[in-house]
């Protein structure tokens, strides 16, 4: 008979360490998922420093300037674009002309050196995105960018995960609104019944046969 | 004998061949996230002014587009401000509706939704904005509005960079509708409408 | 097989032959284990709280690039203050303009000039052309 090489409590230690190992793996995975979804990774809700402390809350919600005044290409092009210095100066050549906060803008206008805004929404380069189709098919700015009119400094409202894009491409009726309301920040999806929204999907001829979730729609 | 030892060593090495695959787990995927290409509004360290989106050189027009000297692009016929819409633009309900949305987005902050110069920005001051409901502006040729949007006037900046020519004509046509709405000859109205005018509703 | 379980006075010959352990597990190490896990959890919690207290500040703080004196300036514009509640003023201006654009009324009664809803004006313009404006 071979000699006993394990001490008496080996079974207990084995069970405890088995339990510990499982907990460690589960815990590590949970921590990684948590980190992946948290603002430390996604930047959701984290305002970035900008060369000029530009406030959407002030300009959009209080001064009632339309998104297109500054993001003029959003209906026609893939990119909404950032406003040119000249766009700011069309007002600020006469309003707040001596504000120290606008020094950067004035210098830029004089020298032609562009103001470099820090990007907040930035998809990986292997994803193709196009604003104009979404605007044309009745997807409002606030469906993707949240209530930017309530933010002093802009911050992300969405981590821009693929699952989020796909969620809407599978069921656009959960987010669609009439075209006239696309720039309305206060629009509430529930002000139309589901049936009315499905009607809109049909009217705007949005394909519901799954074509919109094909990989090549976004990865081309 | 020798052969089989070597074989077993080989087999052991082969069994470890999956190890490099672990690198996939830690691989930095930054190369595909940030590809060496320019997207709009990117920063460039190739062009001296630092922008990837280069402004078009002076005095150039888009290839194969319009004749840059046509009334559509200049608002002028033989040097004089056009008093009709150019032939490419048809006056219809769609044009006016389009003009309305453009006017409300680009002009209303200063000129007001009504065009009385009392937009939200003008209200805050110190900018003073003229009303569009003046006799002089009611009688100017329609090309004047096109010209003001294209080249700016006095303290008002040019909007040519943001509003394409077709949209400028749509705005000009809509301004005419605005002017009409604030100064209608009652002879054009029906009886019922006259009643409402008198009642002020 | 079954008779092995009923014997209460010690391990069966069979289990001895198979080198099974001959006594029940002791509960003490298990209790200790649980206590240690709980202790490590609490320690980790305290550690994380410490780490977050140091690093989380920088996450929230990026929002403010102004020196504090400029920041207070932002909140309180110098007198005379044009507007105390810009949001409500903005809403009011838009609402009044829209109401004006949807109603009838006199502009100059003696000259026979009225203001009419914009929708109607667009119809009239299409009907009569630009000359109707003069």
């Amino acid at each position: 008979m071979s000699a006993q090489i394990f001490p008496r409590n080996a079974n207990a230690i084995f069970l405890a360490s088995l339990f510990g190992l499982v907990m460690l793996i589960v815990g590590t995975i949970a921590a990684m998922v948590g980190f992946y979804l948290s603002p430390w990774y996604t930047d959701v809700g984290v305002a970035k420093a900008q060369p000029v402390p530009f406030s959407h809350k002030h300009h959009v919600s209080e001064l009632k300037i339309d998104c297109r005044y500054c993001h003029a290409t959003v209906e026609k092009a893939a990119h909404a674009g950032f406003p040119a210095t000249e766009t700011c100066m069309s007002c600020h050549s006469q309003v707040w002309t001596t504000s120290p906060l606008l020094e950067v803008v004035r210098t830029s206008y004089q020298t032609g050196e562009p103001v470099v805004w820090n990007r907040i929404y930035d998809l990986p380069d292997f994803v193709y995105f196009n604003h104009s189709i979404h605007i044309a098919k009745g997807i409002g700015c606030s469906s993707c960018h949240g209530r930017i009119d309530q933010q002093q400094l802009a911050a992300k409202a969405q981590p821009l995960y693929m699952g989020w894009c796909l969620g809407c491409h599978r069921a656009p009726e959960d987010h669609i609104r009439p075209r006239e309301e696309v720039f309305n920040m206060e629009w509430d999806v529930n002000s139309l019944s589901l049936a009315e929204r499905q009607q809109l999907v049909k009217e705007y001829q949005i394909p519901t046969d799954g074509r919109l979730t094909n990989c090549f729609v976004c990865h081309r | 004998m020798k052969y089989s030892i070597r074989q077993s060593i080989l087999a052991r090495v082969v069994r470890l061949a999956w190890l490099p695959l672990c690198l996939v787990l830690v691989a930095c995927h930054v190369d595909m996230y940030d590809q060496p290409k320019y997207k709009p509004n990117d920063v460039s360290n190739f062009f001296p002014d630092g922008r990837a989106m280069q402004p078009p050189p002076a005095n150039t027009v888009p290839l194969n587009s319009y004749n840059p000297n046509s009334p559509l692009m200049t608002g002028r016929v033989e040097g004089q401000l056009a008093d009709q819409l150019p032939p490419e633009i048809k006056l219809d309900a769609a044009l006016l509706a389009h003009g309305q949305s453009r006017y409300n987005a680009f002009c209303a902050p200063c000129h007001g939704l009504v065009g009385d110069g009392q937009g939200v920005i003008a209200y805050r001051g110190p900018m003073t904005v003229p009303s569009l409901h003046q006799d002089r502006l009611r009688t100017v040729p329609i090309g004047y509005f096109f010209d003001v949007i294209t080249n700016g006037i006095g303290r008002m900046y040019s909007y040519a960079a943001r509003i394409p020519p077709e949209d400028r004509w749509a705005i000009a046509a809509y301004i005419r509708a605005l002017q009409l709405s604030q100064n209608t000859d009652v002879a054009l109205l029906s009886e019922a409408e006259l009643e409402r005018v008198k009642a002020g509703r | 097989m079954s008779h092995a379980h009923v014997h209460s006075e010690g391990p069966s010959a069979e289990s001895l032959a198979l080198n099974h352990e001959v006594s029940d597990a002791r509960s003490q190490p298990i209790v200790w284990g649980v206590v240690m896990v709980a202790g490590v959890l609490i320690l980790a919690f305290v550690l994380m709280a410490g780490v977050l207290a140091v690093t989380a500040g920088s996450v929230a703080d990026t929002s403010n690039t102004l020196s504090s004196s400029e920041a207070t300036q932002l909140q309180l514009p110098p007198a005379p203050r044009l507007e105390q509640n810009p949001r409500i003023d903005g809403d009011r201006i838009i609402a009044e303009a829209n109401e004006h654009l949807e109603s009838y009324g006199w502009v100059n009664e003696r000259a026979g000039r009225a203001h009419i809803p914009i929708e109607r004006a667009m119809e009239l313009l299409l009907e009569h052309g630009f000359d109707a404006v003069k």
Side-chain angles (χ1 to χ4, degrees):
Chain A
M1 205 181 266
S2 59
Q4 227 343 342
I5 53 166
F6 291 110
R8 288 273 155 107
N9 54 6
N11 267 5
I13 292 177
F14 175 68
L15 280 180
S17 46
L18 206 64
F19 176 76
L21 194 71
V22 171
M23 290 316 277
L24 190 74
I25 294 174
V26 170
T28 312
I29 293 176
M32 281 161 72
V33 171
F35 179 71
Y36 185 62
L37 298 176
S38 76
W40 279 290
Y41 185 76
T42 62
D43 279 352
V44 166
V46 179
K48 276 196 199 168
Q50 301 286 359
V52 183
F54 175 81
S55 162
H56 278 90
K57 182 168 187 209
H58 186 55
H59 288 86
V60 174
S61 154
E62 292 166 8
L63 297 175
K64 309 283 172 214
I65 309 177
D66 194 288
C67 308
R68 283 167 289 183
Y69 191 94
C70 295
H71 306 295
T73 55
V74 71
E75 285 172 301
K76 298 268 173 62
H79 285 262
F82 292 89
T85 304
E86 199 190 66
T87 304
C88 307
M89 287 304 279
S90 63
C91 287
H92 286 295
S93 60
Q94 293 166 70
V95 182
W96 281 105
T97 47
T98 53
S99 167
L101 302 180
L102 286 158
E103 190 55 46
V104 178
V105 176
R106 288 193 296 269
T107 327
S108 158
Y109 190 65
Q110 276 150 18
T111 61
E113 194 87 359
V115 178
V116 182
W117 300 104
N118 284 322
R119 291 208 61 140
I120 294 159
Y121 291 89
D122 200 1
L123 283 173
D125 283 356
F126 55 76
V127 182
Y128 171 80
F129 178 77
N130 193 323
H131 272 97
S132 62
I133 179 91
H134 292 95
I135 308 310
K137 301 282 178 134
I139 306 295
C141 312
S142 61
S143 300
C144 298
H145 296 302
R147 291 299 301 270
I148 197 163
D149 66 322
Q150 300 295 312
Q151 296 174 340
Q152 294 284 12
L153 281 180
K156 256 188 187 177
Q158 281 297 337
L160 302 183
Y161 287 141
M162 176 166 134
W164 171 73
C165 308
L166 290 177
C168 181
H169 280 200
R170 281 199 197 100
E173 62 273 12
D174 291 343
H175 303 274
I176 199 163
R177 55 177 91 181
R179 278 192 194 115
E180 312 82 75
E181 302 293 343
V182 162
F183 298 95
N184 179 358
M185 285 280 118
E186 277 146 33
W187 175 262
D188 175 18
V189 229
N190 293 319
S191 57
L192 286 185
S193 71
L194 184 62
E196 285 170 313
R197 278 180 269 138
Q198 277 164 338
Q199 187 54 40
L200 275 182
V201 170
K202 224 178 265 155
E203 194 183 318
Y204 295 164
Q205 298 176 333
I206 298 173
T208 48
D209 54 1
R211 230 183 304 163
L212 274 182
T213 52
N214 285 339
C215 312
F216 56 75
V217 168
C218 310
H219 303 293
R220 44 175 134 178
Chain B
M1 206 46 191
K2 235 181 177 182
Y3 175 76
S4 74
I5 287 177
R6 206 194 301 147
Q7 205 179 27
S8 77
I9 290 175
L10 204 71
R12 231 177 258 181
V13 171
V14 166
R15 246 180 276 146
L16 291 181
W18 57 270
L19 268 179
L21 280 180
C22 287
L23 285 177
V24 172
L25 292 176
V26 295
C28 254
H29 47 207
V30 171
D31 50 342
M32 289 305 275
Y33 273 62
D34 296 311
Q35 298 164 16
K37 67 180 180 189
Y38 285 143
K39 298 205 323 195
N41 290 305
D42 269 356
V43 172
S44 154
N45 43 24
F46 175 73
F47 294 108
D49 62 355
R51 42 187 150 188
M53 251 160 55
Q54 287 291 299
N59 302 322
T60 55
V61 291
L63 195 64
N64 290 339
S65 62
Y66 321 85
N67 172 3
N69 300 317
S70 69
L72 176 71
M73 299 295 284
T74 58
R76 284 167 192 274
V77 183
E78 289 161 7
Q80 296 300 309
L81 289 172
D83 60 357
Q84 288 299 321
L85 291 176
E88 291 91 340
I89 308 282
K90 289 276 159 297
L91 178 62
D92 55 16
L95 183 79
L96 290 179
H98 188 61
Q100 181 174 35
S101 81
R102 298 299 111 162
Y103 177 90
N104 291 351
F106 289 104
C107 317
C110 299
H111 288 277
L113 288 170
V114 184
D116 52 4
Q118 296 297 313
V120 182
I121 307 292
Y123 169 81
R124 298 184 76 102
M127 183 182 340
T128 49
V129 183
S131 167
L132 299 176
H133 307 300
Q134 314 166 18
D135 282 339
R136 177 173 62 82
L137 290 178
R138 281 190 208 107
T139 47
V140 291
I142 191 165
Y144 181 71
F145 299 113
F146 182 93
D147 191 62
V148 168
I149 304 174
T150 310
N151 301 316
I153 180 171
R155 288 164 291 128
M156 178 179 146
Y157 278 42
S158 156
Y159 285 78
R162 272 175 283 159
I163 311 180
E166 294 86 347
D167 290 7
R168 287 175 228 161
W169 285 112
I171 293 177
Y174 178 70
I175 289 180
R176 283 289 189 232
L178 261 185
Q179 291 177 331
L180 181 62
S181 82
Q182 297 310 305
N183 190 39
T184 318
D185 190 343
V186 286
L188 295 176
L189 297 179
S190 68
E191 271 308 311
E193 283 179 309
L194 208 55
E195 286 309 312
R196 294 189 63 181
V197 168
K198 283 177 185 152
R201 276 182 293 112
Chain C
M1 278 276 170
S2 59
H3 65 273
H5 297 287
V6 285
H7 286 295
S8 55
E9 64 285 337
S12 66
E14 198 179 354
S15 54
L16 278 175
L18 284 172
N19 275 354
H20 280 315
E21 283 199 63
V22 294
S23 69
D24 287 343
R26 282 189 299 134
S27 59
Q28 209 185 359
I30 297 184
V31 171
W32 266 112
V34 171
V35 170
M36 301 270 267
V37 167
V40 167
L41 274 181
I42 292 170
L43 192 73
F45 183 82
V46 172
L47 257 175
M48 281 315 284
V51 169
L52 290 191
V54 174
T55 59
S58 65
V59 172
D61 268 351
T62 52
S63 61
N64 195 347
T65 54
L66 308 173
S67 77
S68 56
S69 64
E70 277 170 327
T72 43
Q73 253 181 4
L74 244 195
Q75 282 147 17
L76 265 189
R81 257 160 248 144
L82 290 172
E83 290 176 83
Q84 298 293 344
N85 195 331
R87 175 82 212 260
I88 291 179
D89 279 337
D91 285 343
R92 183 178 50 75
I93 293 172
I94 299 290
E96 280 175 8
N98 274 326
E99 203 185 300
H100 190 73
L101 279 179
E102 281 160 17
S103 64
Y104 289 89
W106 285 115
V107 175
N108 184 344
E109 192 167 356
R110 201 164 315 151
R113 297 286 167 159
H115 73 84
I116 62 172
I118 183 69
E119 294 298 328
R120 182 76 182 111
M122 302 210 289
E123 281 170 31
L124 280 179
L125 191 75
L126 292 180
E127 219 173 287
H128 300 278
F130 290 141
D131 288 338
V133 177
K134 295 171 184 168

